[in-house]
Amino acid sequence: AQTVTQSQPEMSVQEAETVTLSCTYDTSESDYYLFWYKQPPSRQMILVIRQEAYKQQNATENRFSVNFQKAAKSFSLKISDSQLGDAAMYFCAYLRGSQGNLIFGKGTKLSVKP
Amino acid sequence: EAQVTQNPRYLITVTGKKLTVTCSQNMNHEYMSWYRQDPGLGLRQIYYSMNVEVTDKGDVPEGYKVSRKEKRNFPLILESPSPNQTSLYFCASSLNGYGYTFGSGTRLTVV
């Protein structure tokens, strides 16, 4: 069975600095997608970034980028120039092919210090 | 506006009293799912549907029912709620299964 592990329950970063959130996953599939979702205190689930496993290039969305290491089954999220609004729970998620089953990690709570 | 709408946002109920949480999407999405979120456990899938009249169990289906009679609606039914079903529930939809839009969540408390 596929699993997603986020080993950092909580992280803290100074405003304007860079932070990296870790995620590893376990799968025997070759075709899959990986996601990072942000959940602010409003509890809304917001898609931050998506990576297709067949793409070697790491995905980037403005200040958010990933380091996707397929062989190591690692999918970390880097947030550059951290802002107060980045404070939230961050969930890493795995999607197997097109079966529609998103498997989530347990989350990392990110605090941003002014 | 494209969205997934869940109702109610908050619900307090008593053990054994049947309830339904509604979910509706206006994006003509094929895929719909229900998740529950518990502290320290992340989100876990309850049921999902890949099309009308096609539903399947997720990781934690016990105590829940779903139906998909129309493409836009995917209600979650708790026939006899118990306190261990106290949780935050999310409905989500996707056009092709590759990227999900989530509803705003339903905070359910069973006493």
Side-chain angles (χ1 to χ4, degrees), chain A:
Chain A
Q2 293 86 7
T3 58
V4 177
T5 302
Q6 293 179 250
S7 59
Q8 307 150 317
E10 295 188 25
M11 292 280 286
S12 181
V13 64
Q14 205 71 35
E15 193 176 7
E17 295 190 345
T18 296
V19 64
T20 299
L21 309 184
S22 301
C23 174
T24 59
Y25 58 95
D26 185 26
T27 184
S28 58
E29 303 292 324
S30 59
D31 177 25
Y32 54 89
Y33 291 72
L34 296 164
F35 305 85
W36 279 98
Y37 280 89
K38 171 185 177 182
Q39 187 181 44
S42 66
R43 81 188 188 200
Q44 182 70 37
M45 293 292 287
I46 302 166
L47 178 64
V48 175
I49 202 164
R50 181 177 87 172
Q51 176 78 44
E52 293 89 340
Y54 64 85
K55 289 187 177 178
Q56 292 189 344
Q57 186 173 8
N58 289 325
T60 299
E61 289 287 342
N62 300 314
R63 298 182 295 106
F64 299 87
S65 62
V66 298
N67 183 4
F68 174 47
Q69 302 288 329
K70 190 173 184 179
K73 297 179 182 175
S74 171
F75 183 60
S76 60
L77 175 70
K78 185 172 82 171
I79 306 174
S80 304
D81 185 24
S82 297
Q83 300 175 359
L84 295 177
D86 294 334
M89 282 289 288
Y90 286 82
F91 292 97
C92 178
Y94 165 99
L95 181 71
R96 176 184 175 185
S98 61
Q99 290 204 349
N101 186 0
L102 265 177
I103 300 168
F104 286 86
K106 295 181 179 181
T108 297
K109 183 177 181 180
L110 178 66
S111 302
V112 180
K113 297 179 180 177

Side-chain angles (χ1 to χ4, degrees), chain B residues 13-46:
Chain B
T13 191
V14 297
T15 299
K17 185 177 181 181
K18 181 179 178 180
L19 66 91
T20 299
V21 183
T22 63
C23 175
S24 180
Q25 50 92 4
N26 62 0
M27 297 167 280
N28 201 36
H29 282 175
E30 304 278 343
Y31 291 76
M32 296 187 76
S33 283
W34 276 103
Y35 292 85
R36 62 177 288 173
Q37 181 180 2
D38 302 290
L41 296 179
L43 284 80
R44 294 176 293 167
Q45 191 179 56
I46 303 170

Side-chain angles (χ1 to χ4, degrees), chain B residues 29-95:
Chain B
H29 282 175
E30 304 278 343
Y31 291 76
M32 296 187 76
S33 283
W34 276 103
Y35 292 85
R36 62 177 288 173
Q37 181 180 2
D38 302 290
L41 296 179
L43 284 80
R44 294 176 293 167
Q45 191 179 56
I46 303 170
Y47 270 94
Y48 66 96
S49 169
M50 297 171 78
N51 212 328
V52 175
E53 302 292 2
V54 180
T55 63
D56 207 348
K57 296 177 180 178
D59 297 320
V60 287
E62 294 78 19
Y64 304 94
K65 285 176 57 177
V66 293
S67 68
R68 188 92 182 271
K69 293 184 170 57
E70 312 165 87
K71 192 181 237 186
R72 63 182 292 123
N73 295 323
F74 191 45
L76 179 69
I77 303 157
L78 285 72
E79 295 270 2
S80 182
S82 62
N84 64 12
Q85 292 179 296
T86 292
S87 187
L88 177 59
Y89 291 85
F90 285 98
C91 179
S93 75
S94 172
L95 178 63

